[in-house]
Amino acid sequence: NSIEQAFLVAMENEEIPKVNAKFATHCFVALVSVGNHKQPDGTPFFMDLEATANNLLNVFWKGFFVD
């Protein structure tokens, strides 16, 4: 799994905290898949791909309720 391997390498290089890489991979993939969902009226959650990516990565790395 290349995403899992990337997490493992980043942990070895002390770029990110040590976590269960398999769990982190599943969480990351699940979160990214949310970016494809739309609101009930058919509009996307975010206006463009960059906003989608920024918001998803912020949630992944910082959580929902961190300043």
Side-chain angles (χ1 to χ4, degrees), residues 10-35:
M11 284 184 259
E12 285 177 19
N13 293 335
E14 299 182 352
E15 297 169 342
I16 63 173
K18 291 188 181 197
V19 297
N20 181 308
K22 188 171 292 302
F23 179 69
T25 300
H26 283 281
C27 290
F28 181 77
V29 170
L31 187 58
V32 168
S33 72
V34 171

Side-chain angles (χ1 to χ4, degrees), residues 4 28 33 35 37 53 57:
E4 183 178 348
F28 181 77
S33 72
H37 291 275
L57 288 174

